[in-house]
DNA sequence: CGCGATGATTGCCG
DNA sequence: CGGCAATCATCGCG
């Protein structure tokens, strides 16, 4: 290594250019006769003709010599510094980026759908949950669900292989570029920092590609969802037993048909309404929601047209009354109002407002109960 | 096929 | 956040 400083001269590429050429020039100037000159010119021409043959080696040699120059590291550092000041300072501002909210949204969704996350764990856990939930009532829709799950796992697989492919490509490309830059950094000023920046640019580029993948995967899942699980498309009526139970509760709590969370859960369990009905959100605890839906619909529809439900009401009231008398002793008719509206109000509506709004119902209500109102 | 029944969704409100 | 009211979209019966 200590002989490097002399390399340039020993190779003869330093200042005079072509060594042989310089030699001959000197010889030429030394000679005085025209013959010698002609000879020299001929030599030069000859060498010029052959110079292209040597140029590659020549360049290599030159490069090598330059590399090994003792001032090279210092010069390189200075150049890097200058470059950094001029170039990097311009771009330096936009370096850091906050985590993209869109990307986070996509990630969350993929995770929630069981596409991302643990390869088998999330998927099979969700599948198991779905299967367990379906076990209650739906023999028919378990087939639907399995179809859905199959498609979903297909999507998941594609997603993962693509993701892996991208990651691999990213790594390969990064190392390639890094090698290239490292190689080039021997002849032109490239600081490690710059390489780092390049790498981060590459990563950003690839992650934007990944985001596209995530986007399209999300879309695919949404389409799958709307195809298979959109409740409105694939609505199933509750079976007869379930509606019986729900109606029973409704009419026996007619004065306050607002089941608590526990009651809803109880009802859902009793009816076998698990997630048998299709749902939109991640398959979770939708039994209560369904019960809530049912009660919401029932309340509103009952209130809208009590007359139409009168018969039904009487029927269930009679049934609960029979049950009450047959099962228990006589005194406990606390929560079995055999006729509706014994409290004088329909839940939220004041009684008199209600009457004035629905004159045709006055007969029903008044005749049925509560003479004290007269 | 038409129409009422019905479960689910959406927007609004307290 | 839960309930209400309106609305949607499918179901199921005649």
């Amino acid at each position: 290594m200590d002989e490097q400083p002399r390399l340039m001269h020993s190779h003869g590429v330093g200042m005079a250019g072509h060594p042989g050429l310089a030699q001959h020039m000197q010889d030429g100037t030394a000679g005085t006769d025209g013959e010698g000159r002609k000879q020299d010119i001929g030599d030069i021409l000859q060498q010029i003709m052959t110079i292209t043959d040597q140029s590659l080696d020549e360049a290599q040699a030159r490069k090598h010599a330059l590399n090994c120059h003792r001032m090279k590291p210092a010069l390189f550092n200075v150049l890097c510094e200058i470059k950094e000041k001029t170039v990097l300072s311009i771009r330096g501002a936009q370096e850091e980026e906050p985590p993209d909210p869109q990307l986070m949204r996509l990630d969350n969704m993929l995770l929630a759908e069981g596409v991302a996350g643990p390869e088998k764990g999330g998927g099979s856990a969700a599948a198991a949950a779905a299967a367990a939930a379906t076990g209650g009532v739906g023999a028919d829709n378990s087939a639907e669900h399995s179809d859905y799950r199959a498609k979903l796992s297909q999507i998941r697989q594609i997603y993962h292989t693509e993701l892996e492919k991208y990651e691999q490509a990213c790594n390969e490309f990064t190392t390639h570029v890094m090698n290239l830059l490292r190689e080039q950094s021997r002849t032109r000023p490239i600081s490690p920092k710059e390489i780092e920046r390049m790498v981060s640019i590459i990563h950003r580029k690839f992650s934007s590609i990944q985001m596209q993948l995530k986007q399209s995967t999300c879309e695919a899942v949404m389409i799958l969802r709307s195809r298979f699980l959109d409740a409105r498309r694939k609505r199933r009526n509750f079976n007869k037993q379930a509606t019986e139970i729900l109606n029973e509760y409704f009419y026996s709590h007619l004065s306050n048909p607002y089941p608590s969370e526990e009651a809803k859960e109880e009802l859902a369990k009793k009816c076998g309404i698990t997630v048998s009905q299709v749902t939109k959100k991640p398959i979770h605890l939708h039994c209560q929601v369904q019960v809530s839906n049912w009660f919401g619909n029932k309340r509103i529809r009952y209130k809208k047209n009590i007359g139409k439900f009168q018969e039904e009401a009487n029927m269930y009231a009679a049934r609960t009354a029979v049950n009450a008398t047959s099962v228990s002793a006589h005194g406990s008719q606390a929560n079995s109002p055999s006729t509706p509206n014994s409290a004088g109000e329909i839940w939220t509506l004041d009684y008199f407002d209600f009457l004035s709004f629905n004159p045709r119902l006055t007969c029903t209500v008044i005749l049925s109960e509560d003479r004290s109102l007269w």
Side-chain angles (χ1 to χ4, degrees):
Chain A
M1 283 294 252
D2 36 353
E3 59 177 352
Q4 279 175 3
R6 283 189 288 115
L7 273 172
M8 280 171 82
H9 300 289
S10 66
H11 278 264
V13 270
M15 8 195 79
H18 208 279
L21 209 69
Q23 194 85 30
H24 282 283
M25 294 279 268
Q26 274 180 352
D27 289 351
T29 47
T32 48
D33 58 328
E35 285 233 347
R37 271 193 191 188
K38 272 190 180 164
Q39 172 91 37
D40 287 347
I41 290 169
D43 276 358
I44 292 167
L45 283 175
Q46 182 66 33
Q47 284 180 40
I48 287 172
M49 291 297 281
T50 57
I51 201 167
T52 47
D53 297 337
Q54 307 166 3
S55 62
L56 261 180
D57 291 337
E58 207 72 40
Q60 283 298 336
R62 194 181 271 251
K63 224 161 93 179
H64 183 63
L66 218 53
N67 251 341
C68 302
H69 194 274
R70 65 187 155 84
M71 294 296 279
K72 189 236 170 188
L75 206 61
F76 182 80
N77 279 343
V78 171
L79 284 174
C80 279
E81 234 171 81
I82 292 169
K83 196 174 168 190
E84 203 165 307
K85 266 184 201 157
T86 52
V87 180
L88 290 184
S89 62
I90 299 168
R91 302 185 169 197
Q94 58 173 17
E95 277 296 333
E96 73 212 58
E97 50 185 315
D100 190 350
Q102 168 107 17
L103 184 64
M104 278 173 62
R105 214 164 48 82
L106 291 175
D107 276 336
N108 285 338
M109 181 182 159
L110 289 173
L111 212 60
E113 296 297 333
V115 174
E119 174 84 54
K120 276 289 164 192
S124 70
T134 342
V137 175
D140 51 349
N141 59 39
S142 80
E144 278 171 27
H145 268 111
S146 78
D147 203 358
Y148 170 76
R149 281 202 305 276
K151 288 262 189 333
L152 187 66
S153 82
Q154 205 176 323
I155 289 175
R156 192 174 59 228
Q157 195 175 344
I158 291 171
Y159 170 77
H160 274 109
T161 52
E162 286 294 304
L163 202 64
E164 206 170 315
K165 212 189 292 174
Y166 288 162
E167 230 149 73
Q168 199 182 333
C170 180
N171 284 338
E172 272 173 26
F173 191 67
T174 302
T175 51
H176 180 71
V177 167
M178 271 172 75
N179 285 338
L180 214 61
L181 286 176
R182 255 202 290 273
E183 174 67 27
Q184 289 200 356
S185 75
R186 279 155 60 170
T187 49
R188 65 190 184 93
I190 299 172
S191 65
K193 202 172 168 186
E194 213 173 333
I195 296 177
E196 207 175 289
R197 199 171 59 85
M198 204 60 160
V199 168
S200 83
I201 287 171
I202 293 168
H203 282 172
R204 232 177 323 198
K205 195 73 199 165
F206 269 89
S207 74
S208 85
I209 295 172
Q210 279 190 4
M211 192 158 116
Q212 280 178 24
L213 171 69
K214 283 172 183 175
Q215 179 94 46
S216 61
T217 307
C218 275
E219 277 168 20
V221 171
M222 288 314 285
I223 289 168
L224 186 67
R225 235 181 205 305
S226 66
R227 212 180 193 71
F228 279 83
L229 298 185
D230 189 340
R232 284 180 172 174
R233 277 185 205 286
K234 297 263 174 189
R235 183 171 69 77
R236 293 261 173 282
N237 288 349
F238 295 139
N239 60 33
K240 201 159 169 123
Q241 193 195 348
T243 39
E244 295 250 318
I245 290 166
L246 290 167
N247 272 318
E248 211 165 287
Y249 186 96
F250 180 80
Y251 287 112
S252 65
H253 296 74
L254 201 50
S255 59
N256 185 33
Y258 296 87
S260 63
E261 286 298 310
E262 297 82 46
K264 281 181 201 170
E265 198 172 348
E266 176 77 19
L267 282 167
K269 214 177 283 181
K270 242 195 231 171
C271 301
I273 304 176
T274 51
V275 273
S276 70
Q277 308 301 112
V278 277
T279 76
K280 199 164 185 186
K281 285 143 212 155
I283 317 156
H284 257 38
L285 296 173
H286 253 269
C287 13
Q288 280 109 321
V289 174
Q290 289 177 254
V291 174
S292 299
N293 281 340
W294 191 90
F295 273 90
N297 283 321
K298 191 74 185 178
R299 279 192 299 264
I300 202 95
R301 281 160 187 165
Y302 178 84
K303 196 161 80 175
K304 239 177 189 170
N305 192 350
I306 292 183
K308 200 169 68 185
F309 287 92
Q310 196 63 60
E311 199 181 331
E312 194 180 52
N314 289 335
M315 194 188 95
Y316 281 101
R319 186 183 306 188
T320 53
V322 167
N323 280 350
T325 47
S326 65
V327 169
S328 71
H330 223 24
S332 65
Q333 84 283 55
N335 62 347
S336 60
S338 55
T339 35
N341 309 321
S342 59
E345 59 172 340
I346 293 283
W347 314 318
T348 57
L349 209 58
D350 178 74
Y351 180 73
F352 292 105
D353 283 349
F354 175 67
L355 287 189
S356 60
F357 260 63
N358 301 271
R360 69 182 284 270
L361 289 166
T362 48
C363 302
T364 325
V365 174
I366 291 170
L367 286 178
S368 64
E369 173 112 9
D370 215 342
R371 317 234 154 221
S372 66
L373 280 169
W374 287 46

